[in-house]
Amino acid sequence: MPDMRISEAAELLGVSDDTVRRWVQAQGIPTWKDESNRTVIPSLAVAQLARESRRVAEDAGVRRSARNQFVGIVTAVTVDTVMAQVEMQCGPHRVVSLMSAEAVRELGLEPGSVATAVVKATTVIVETPAARA
């Protein structure tokens, strides 16, 4: 498993570099300097931080099969007579949902609203970045 710089870990986790440094210090995660004298962290430790830091929406007792939940803020809502497009920023991720205009009204969705995108997909494509030089 490759190591990654603190800034890369922060970007993946959707937090600041300083937050990652605090988590590393609080949990005693080992870090070291790479050949460019930058602090690096094991990618496995970043994965563990991601699991520990994820935020799951409050469900009020609702159980669901979908595991992919992204808490974020609504950034745009486009509504016509029947359908609507809702854009959200969930950490570093932009999530776009198409739904009925009625659902937008019932949920009170508007820019600035906090909402949770729940994703249940039959197909998920996974990509990896090209190898770093």
Side-chain angles (χ1 to χ4, degrees):
M1 284 254 156
D3 303 322
M4 60 180 67
R5 297 189 316 265
I6 295 290
S7 61
E8 292 172 319
E11 184 177 342
L12 288 170
L13 295 168
V15 298
S16 71
D17 295 9
D18 287 337
T19 297
V20 173
R21 286 186 190 96
R22 282 192 297 273
W23 288 346
V24 164
Q25 184 176 17
Q27 296 184 25
I29 297 170
T31 61
W32 51 91
K33 301 288 184 177
D34 66 8
E35 61 278 353
S36 299
N37 202 33
R38 295 176 294 199
T39 302
V40 295
I41 180 174
S43 58
L44 193 58
V46 176
Q48 184 62 34
L49 287 172
R51 290 182 70 87
E52 293 170 1
S53 67
R54 69 180 175 202
R55 294 185 296 162
V56 177
E58 295 294 323
D59 292 296
V62 174
R63 296 181 345 176
R64 67 174 59 97
S65 63
R67 297 292 181 246
N68 303 308
Q69 300 177 42
F70 306 97
V71 177
I73 188 164
V74 175
T75 57
V77 178
T78 305
V79 182
D80 67 17
T81 55
V82 177
M83 295 299 294
Q85 176 178 305
V86 177
E87 295 183 37
M88 297 174 58
Q89 193 66 37
C90 303
H93 306 289
R94 177 177 170 252
V95 177
V96 180
S97 177
L98 300 176
M99 65 183 71
S100 69
E102 179 183 22
V104 167
R105 288 189 298 275
E106 286 178 0
L107 294 171
L109 296 175
E110 60 185 25
S113 300
V114 174
T116 302
V118 180
V119 180
K120 179 79 173 190
T122 57
T123 302
V124 176
I125 298 170
V126 178
E127 299 177 337
T128 61
R132 287 188 272 172

